[in-house]
Amino acid sequence: MRALVTGGGGFLGLAIVKKLRARGDEVRSFSRGAHPALGELGAESVRGDLADAAAVLEAARACDIVFHVAAKAGVWGSADSYHRANVVGTSNVLDACKEAGISRLVFTSTPSVTFAGRDQIAVDESAPYARSYLSDYPRTKSIAERHVLASNGPELATVALRPHLIWGPGDPHLVPRLLDRARSGRLRLLGDRPNEVDSVYVDNAADAHLLAADRLTPDSAIAGKAYFISQGEPLPLADLINRILAAGGLPPVQRRIPSGAAYALGAILEAVYGLLGIENEPPMTRFVARQLSTAHWFDISAARRDLGYSPAISLDEGMERLAKSLR
């Protein structure tokens, strides 16, 4: 097949491109930046902005399926920047699919669309969307996911995947941030609860996307649905963090601060940064404080049943691969 991968040069997007090319599929990537690795894989690269409807349509032409992976992530930035990338961008992708006659769309969402600041323990897809959000990222991804699933129909089959806390070799987000903060002595654990969290190794998340693509048809069991994706191996957050630090050759973090104090600090910093127009991300936000001090792990029975998903790379093997890459 001929696939369009938005954000094909990103962490998850590149893993999807690698797997598609390894099995012989033609791939076109749509990204804002240049990514030489795509050319090395034999993938076509098109540069453009998701908010540019004409550019998205041009990239989609002659493709059979779209993996819409690109998004504005993170926890800091203007509400408009998140809306343009995640809401307008997704709307443009849906319109391009319809205009170009593309019949399948696999959308990368996030479990944060259901996160209301409280523990999520063995949550499945029956969990409702949160009524309010502490960050524009999950708020706009929630709008986008609802639009994608509502667009499912006879001419365009859609499915949304919600991978949680993606990590692995080449991770430009979670792993380097943890290592940098640990090296500078700024890393802290929040609260004193052994809150368990899910994560997913990047290749497993990519596998889930290909499994969904291969099963997606207008009359399939997965059409119009969302699925949580994880390792299926929840760990106390402190253990997960310290295993990543060990992979980077660093000692475990032991210092803690109260979760309530972190939330209050996040609220103050958000107000100050917003008032002063500081573009850099604050060292703490309310959303991050809640994420780090609550449990969030998911029942992935639906993904196992409907997608045939089973994490091929265990957490232990993934950590070994991460440690090797960091060395």
Side-chain angles (χ1 to χ4, degrees):
M1 66 182 180
R2 184 174 181 82
L4 172 65
V5 181
T6 68
F11 184 41
L12 175 59
L14 186 59
I16 292 172
V17 171
K18 287 178 180 178
K19 289 184 176 293
L20 289 170
R21 291 295 300 138
R23 70 182 199 178
D25 292 320
E26 295 182 48
V27 180
R28 177 183 295 157
S29 169
F30 182 79
S31 303
R32 290 199 302 174
H35 301 279
L38 292 169
E40 296 171 4
L41 291 169
E44 178 186 357
S45 291
V46 177
R47 296 181 64 174
D49 193 312
L50 283 172
D52 183 343
V56 175
L57 174 58
E58 187 60 29
R61 292 194 188 280
C63 291
D64 306 306
I65 186 171
V66 174
F67 294 86
H68 182 29
V69 185
K72 179 174 172 58
V75 297
W76 193 247
S78 69
D80 179 68
S81 66
Y82 279 99
H83 182 81
R84 282 176 55 81
N86 298 342
V87 178
V88 175
T90 299
S91 179
N92 287 341
V93 169
L94 286 166
D95 289 344
C97 286
K98 295 169 185 176
E99 179 70 21
I102 296 171
S103 61
R104 292 178 290 164
L105 170 64
V106 180
F107 175 68
T108 307
S109 187
T110 169
S112 296
V113 299
T114 65
F115 181 64
R118 299 182 296 273
D119 286 340
Q120 293 185 293
I121 298 175
V123 166
D124 65 18
E125 288 79 7
S126 66
Y129 293 104
R131 292 184 178 181
S132 61
Y133 297 95
L134 294 172
S135 168
D136 285 315
Y137 172 64
R139 180 183 63 81
T140 54
K141 289 294 284 186
S142 170
I143 296 170
E145 181 185 287
R146 294 185 219 205
H147 192 183
V148 166
L149 298 182
S151 298
N152 179 69
E155 295 183 356
L156 176 63
T158 67
V159 64
L161 303 186
R162 299 167 174 173
H164 188 258
L165 207 61
I166 306 172
W167 58 274
D171 175 8
H173 306 297
L174 174 66
V175 170
R177 175 172 295 193
L178 287 176
L179 297 181
D180 288 346
R181 290 200 173 191
R183 291 189 185 103
S184 64
R186 295 181 293 118
L187 187 61
R188 301 287 187 275
L189 300 173
L190 269 60
D192 55 6
R193 303 169 58 223
N195 49 307
E196 290 190 321
V197 300
D198 255 334
S199 66
V200 63
Y201 186 74
V202 62
D203 285 355
N204 292 335
D207 283 339
H209 282 70
L210 269 66
L211 288 168
D214 292 343
R215 285 162 174 75
L216 185 59
T217 60
D219 58 351
S220 63
I222 71 172
K225 294 182 180 179
Y227 292 90
F228 289 112
I229 303 296
S230 75
Q231 289 293 116
E233 300 178 82
L235 282 179
L237 180 60
D239 291 359
L240 178 62
I241 289 174
N242 284 328
R243 291 195 67 170
I244 291 175
L245 295 183
L250 297 176
V253 60
Q254 297 178 338
R255 299 183 66 178
R256 294 179 178 268
I257 61 174
S259 57
Y263 183 86
L265 175 62
I268 293 171
L269 290 174
E270 286 181 47
V272 172
Y273 274 53
L275 182 64
L276 299 179
I278 301 175
E279 295 184 358
N280 292 336
E281 181 183 320
M284 181 58 66
T285 68
R286 292 171 298 156
F287 177 75
V288 171
R290 285 287 187 260
Q291 282 273 303
L292 295 180
S293 60
T294 57
H296 29 101
W297 60 277
F298 309 93
D299 179 350
I300 60 171
S301 298
R304 293 183 186 275
R305 179 190 67 239
D306 295 349
L307 304 180
Y309 171 72
S310 180
I313 308 299
S314 69
L315 196 146
D316 288 343
E317 182 179 350
M319 287 295 174
E320 291 177 3
R321 293 185 178 191
L322 176 62
K324 182 178 179 180
S325 72
L326 292 174
R327 285 196 299 270

